[in-house]
């Protein structure tokens, strides 16, 4: 039987993981086996810069953290090595970064993910992972909105140039 201090530490970890999950908009659970320390350090740096919190947590502790929630079905994939990545405000950052990393590393795999407290399928997780970053999407939207305005401005300028041309000839 574990000591009281070890039991308290585990309860605290479960509470922290449950809190992280409930306060995040999206998260991904991965199988991280077979990666080097240097690769792991680079991955953690990239995730941290994107505002994603990434930690290795024992499967039993994750299972306890999601027990009784809508995410309890994620327990089915919690075997082997597991790490959880959560983000409070970006729906695609964790999935995009981890999927890109998984493509380059054979033993690193995405297991499951969730959005707004709902487990998503692997197909949806992969779709999410292939979306561009928030900044790229915003610039695409800005271009869509500015294109008609720019076209209108060019048309007005062409009309103004055409109206000035006959006056200069006379």
């Amino acid at each position: 039987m574990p000591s009281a201090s070890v039991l308290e530490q585990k309860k605290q970890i479960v509470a922290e993981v449950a809190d992280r999950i409930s306060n995040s908009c999206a998260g991904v659970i991965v199988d991280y086996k077979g990666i080097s320390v240097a690769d792991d350090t680079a991955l953690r740096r990239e995730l941290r810069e994107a505002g994603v919190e990434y930690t290795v947590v024992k499967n039993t502790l994750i299972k306890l953290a999601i027990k009784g929630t809508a995410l309890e079905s994620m327990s089915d994939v919690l075997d082997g090595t597991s790490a959880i990545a959560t983000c409070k405000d970006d729906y695609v950052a964790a999935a995009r970064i981890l999927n890109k990393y998984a493509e380059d590393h054979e033993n690193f795999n995405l297991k499951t993910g969730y959005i707004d407290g709902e487990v998503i399928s692997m197909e949806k997780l992969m779709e999410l992972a292939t979306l561009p970053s928030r900044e790229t999407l915003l610039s695409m939207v800005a271009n869509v909105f500015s294109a008609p305005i720019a076209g209108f401005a060019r048309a007005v300028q062409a009309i103004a140039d055409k109206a000035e041309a006959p006056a200069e000839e006379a």
Side-chain angles (χ1 to χ4, degrees):
M1 177 141 184
S3 69
S5 64
V6 171
L7 195 55
E8 269 310 304
Q9 287 176 340
K10 289 183 178 185
K11 286 181 181 178
Q12 184 179 357
I13 292 170
V14 169
E16 288 172 3
V17 171
D19 185 52
R20 246 179 75 193
I21 290 172
S22 66
N23 290 325
S24 63
C25 65
V28 179
I29 295 179
V30 297
D31 182 358
Y32 68 90
K33 71 176 175 261
I35 62 172
S36 69
V37 173
D39 287 342
D40 187 53
T41 303
L43 173 64
R44 286 175 186 268
R45 182 181 313 113
E46 187 176 356
L47 288 166
R48 192 172 35 253
E49 289 170 357
V52 178
E53 192 174 346
Y54 175 83
T55 51
V56 173
V57 182
K58 288 186 174 186
N59 292 324
T60 54
L61 300 180
I62 296 174
K63 287 178 184 179
L64 289 171
I66 61 176
K67 188 174 183 177
T69 69
L71 302 177
E72 193 167 6
S73 64
M74 291 193 315
S75 296
D76 298 341
V77 298
L78 292 174
D79 57 353
T81 57
S82 296
I84 185 166
T86 58
C87 192
K88 291 183 179 182
D89 56 359
D90 191 341
Y91 286 90
V92 299
R96 184 175 27 82
I97 293 168
L98 293 169
N99 185 55
K100 183 180 80 171
Y101 191 82
E103 289 172 353
D104 297 335
H105 297 82
E106 187 177 317
N107 294 328
F108 191 90
N109 298 305
L110 279 64
K111 290 183 174 183
T112 188
Y114 66 90
I115 295 178
D116 291 331
E118 300 276 333
V119 178
I120 58 174
S121 66
M122 280 303 288
E123 293 81 25
K124 290 225 186 254
L125 183 59
M126 295 318 250
E127 287 175 16
L128 195 66
T130 57
L131 286 175
S133 68
R134 182 177 189 272
E135 292 76 24
T136 305
L137 287 172
L138 289 174
S139 68
M140 291 167 73
V141 169
N143 284 338
V144 167
F145 284 129
S146 67
I149 296 168
F152 178 72
R154 284 191 293 274
V156 169
Q157 185 63 44
I159 292 170
D161 290 346
K162 189 175 183 182
E164 288 177 11
E168 291 175 2
E169 291 175 2

